Amino acid sequence: MSDFLFWTRKKMYTLVILGTVPVVLYQLLGFKWLTVPWMVVALLGTATAFIVGFKNTQTYNRTRDGGAVWTGINSSSKTWGIMCREYFQDAGLVRELVYRHFAWLTALRYQLREGRVWEVTDTQPNAEYQRYYNIPERQAGFEGEMLKYIPEQELAAIAGVRSKATQLLALQSRTIKAAHESQAIATAQFIEMQRTLNVFFGQQGQCEALKEAPYPRQYSIINTIFVRMFCVLLPFGMLQEFDKLNSSVSGWMHGHMIWLLIPFSMIISWMYTSLEQVGESTENPFEGSANDVPISQICRAIEIDLREMLGETELPVPLEPQNEIAV
């Protein structure tokens, strides 16, 4: 709860100001005409609630789809490791295919972590949270990570291409084709491995679709406009309602009930702005914010599992959540 309040505090400050200005104008300066019929505000609030709810449903679905894709990548990677280990007798070739798969995972996650103009990881509320966790792709260079898995000549061969992940899958296909031609694997095994590569191509395409196709801008803009209109008009619609409360109280609060408008309008508006902020932060599931799909953690878990299949004992350390944030 405290983390969420800290995350949304800047908008809370703005909402306090939006609530204070109408009260000062109405109560202290006597601008009694500065009111908006409550029915207008209620209708706008209802419309805003619908569009905010619609956006949050769609952005949650994007994050859920991203998680589902990487669950599939996890399962398919283990299948790939088993096929490589069981189909080939050459231990060197098995290691080459498995380690090139690690390179594909690395290239894909670096590609998904690249910034886009519509992403919000580096906006102030989200950037503040980066002090609590590290995005691995921003800490380690791409080439250094790739050289852990493939030789320099392979890295140089894909250095100038647009999609390095695609070219790595193409290299995998070329390698198993050569193995089939040399009769290192049977035709049925070759077909099965090609089918698995096609699955990887499909999963990569799903990730790229989520990365390159943001939540439609027209709906995002409408959502922002509606929320801001509602937050501005809400205090003006509540002025007369809180002023009427003076007739039902006595004592030192009589004549001052209108000042309660400030905290109540802030709380109501904060509900809308918080939902908008949550929807915005879950819109892009791979950018590296605290609520995103932990693709770095998933890739490390896959690497550990496949290296254990190879019989290796010197394994990388699993990526643990940092301050309860998984990356």
Side-chain angles (χ1 to χ4, degrees), residues 216-317:
R217 297 296 88 189
Q218 64 271 28
Y219 290 109
S220 181
I221 291 172
I222 289 174
N223 184 80
T224 301
I225 292 174
F226 275 34
V227 169
R228 291 182 180 179
M229 285 177 58
F230 175 75
C231 292
V232 170
L233 293 178
L234 177 63
F236 292 96
M238 299 173 69
L239 285 170
Q240 288 186 339
E241 302 300 320
F242 275 83
D243 200 13
K244 292 176 184 178
L245 295 177
N246 289 307
S247 61
S248 61
V249 299
S250 59
W252 66 273
M253 281 300 296
H254 181 72
H256 302 291
M257 293 295 290
I258 195 168
W259 293 100
L260 293 176
L261 179 151
I262 297 173
F264 281 101
S265 67
M266 187 274 289
I267 292 171
I268 296 171
S269 297
W270 175 74
M271 292 169 56
Y272 283 81
T273 57
S274 296
L275 286 171
E276 180 194 24
Q277 192 167 331
V278 167
E280 185 181 58
S281 69
T282 55
E283 180 180 326
N284 306 294
F286 304 131
E287 59 183 319
S289 68
N291 298 311
D292 285 353
V293 178
I295 60 177
S296 302
Q297 189 180 70
I298 294 171
C299 288
R300 179 62 59 84
I302 293 171
E303 181 178 350
I304 292 171
D305 287 342
L306 267 62
R307 290 177 69 167
E308 285 181 333
M309 287 183 189
L310 298 181
E312 297 184 10
T313 55
E314 295 184 5
L315 304 174
V317 178

Side-chain angles (χ1 to χ4, degrees), residues 52 59 67 93 99 112 120 140 158-159 164 199 203 207 217 246 257 304 322:
V52 170
T59 55
L93 181 57
Y99 270 63
L112 296 178
V120 296
I158 64 172
K164 296 175 176 59
V199 171
Q203 291 165 337
C207 291
R217 297 296 88 189
N246 289 307
M257 293 295 290
I304 292 171
Q322 307 166 43

Side-chain angles (χ1 to χ4, degrees), residues 28 44 50 79 123 131 138 151 157 188 192 275 286:
L28 300 183
L44 178 59
F50 275 115
T79 301
T123 58
R131 73 183 70 175
R138 295 188 179 185
E192 189 65 25
L275 286 171
F286 304 131

Side-chain angles (χ1 to χ4, degrees), residues 12-296:
M12 292 171 66
Y13 301 154
T14 302
L15 295 175
V16 169
I17 295 172
L18 289 177
T20 302
V21 170
V23 173
V24 170
L25 294 175
Y26 182 90
Q27 183 74 358
L28 300 183
L29 300 182
F31 292 169
K32 302 298 183 179
W33 52 270
L34 279 177
T35 60
V36 175
W38 176 248
M39 184 60 69
V40 174
V41 178
L43 290 173
L44 178 59
T46 302
T48 304
F50 275 115
I51 195 166
V52 170
F54 175 78
K55 177 181 179 180
N56 279 29
T57 299
Q58 298 305 312
T59 55
Y60 169 76
N61 287 340
R62 287 171 59 84
T63 299
R64 183 189 62 187
D65 291 344
V69 172
W70 276 90
T71 299
I73 290 175
N74 189 2
S75 299
S76 301
S77 296
K78 294 172 183 177
T79 301
W80 177 260
I82 290 173
M83 287 192 296
C84 292
R85 186 187 66 181
E86 301 300 330
Y87 290 175
F88 295 97
Q89 301 300 317
D90 185 346
L93 181 57
V94 172
R95 187 181 188 279
E96 176 186 339
L97 289 169
V98 171
Y99 270 63
R100 191 181 290 128
H101 184 71
F102 297 155
W104 174 72
L105 291 170
T106 302
L108 182 59
R109 64 183 172 89
Y110 269 85
Q111 178 182 331
L112 296 178
R113 294 296 199 206
E114 293 175 357
R116 298 292 184 269
V117 294
W118 54 79
E119 293 181 343
V120 296
T121 303
D122 294 321
T123 58
Q124 188 174 15
N126 294 321
E128 288 179 335
Y129 262 80
Q130 292 182 30
R131 73 183 70 175
Y132 301 116
Y133 70 100
N134 296 315
I135 301 173
E137 291 74 24
R138 295 188 179 185
Q139 304 298 314
F142 173 74
E143 291 188 0
E145 289 294 296
M146 293 292 285
L147 288 174
K148 294 178 181 178
Y149 309 120
I150 58 175
E152 291 186 8
Q153 57 268 28
E154 279 194 16
L155 180 60
I158 64 172
V161 301
R162 186 186 65 85
S163 177
K164 296 175 176 59
T166 299
Q167 295 306 315
L168 286 167
L169 290 179
L171 284 174
Q172 294 282 63
S173 178
R174 186 181 304 168
T175 300
I176 62 174
K177 179 183 178 183
H180 176 249
E181 291 175 346
S182 65
Q183 298 184 346
I185 54 175
T187 300
Q189 295 170 330
F190 169 69
I191 293 173
E192 189 65 25
M193 297 191 77
Q194 284 288 4
R195 186 178 293 117
T196 304
L197 288 178
N198 290 338
V199 171
F200 289 140
F201 273 117
Q203 291 165 337
Q204 177 183 326
Q206 289 177 283
C207 291
E208 291 171 344
L210 287 169
K211 178 71 176 180
E212 304 298 340
Y215 181 74
R217 297 296 88 189
Q218 64 271 28
Y219 290 109
S220 181
I221 291 172
I222 289 174
N223 184 80
T224 301
I225 292 174
F226 275 34
V227 169
R228 291 182 180 179
M229 285 177 58
F230 175 75
C231 292
V232 170
L233 293 178
L234 177 63
F236 292 96
M238 299 173 69
L239 285 170
Q240 288 186 339
E241 302 300 320
F242 275 83
D243 200 13
K244 292 176 184 178
L245 295 177
N246 289 307
S247 61
S248 61
V249 299
S250 59
W252 66 273
M253 281 300 296
H254 181 72
H256 302 291
M257 293 295 290
I258 195 168
W259 293 100
L260 293 176
L261 179 151
I262 297 173
F264 281 101
S265 67
M266 187 274 289
I267 292 171
I268 296 171
S269 297
W270 175 74
M271 292 169 56
Y272 283 81
T273 57
S274 296
L275 286 171
E276 180 194 24
Q277 192 167 331
V278 167
E280 185 181 58
S281 69
T282 55
E283 180 180 326
N284 306 294
F286 304 131
E287 59 183 319
S289 68
N291 298 311
D292 285 353
V293 178
I295 60 177
S296 302

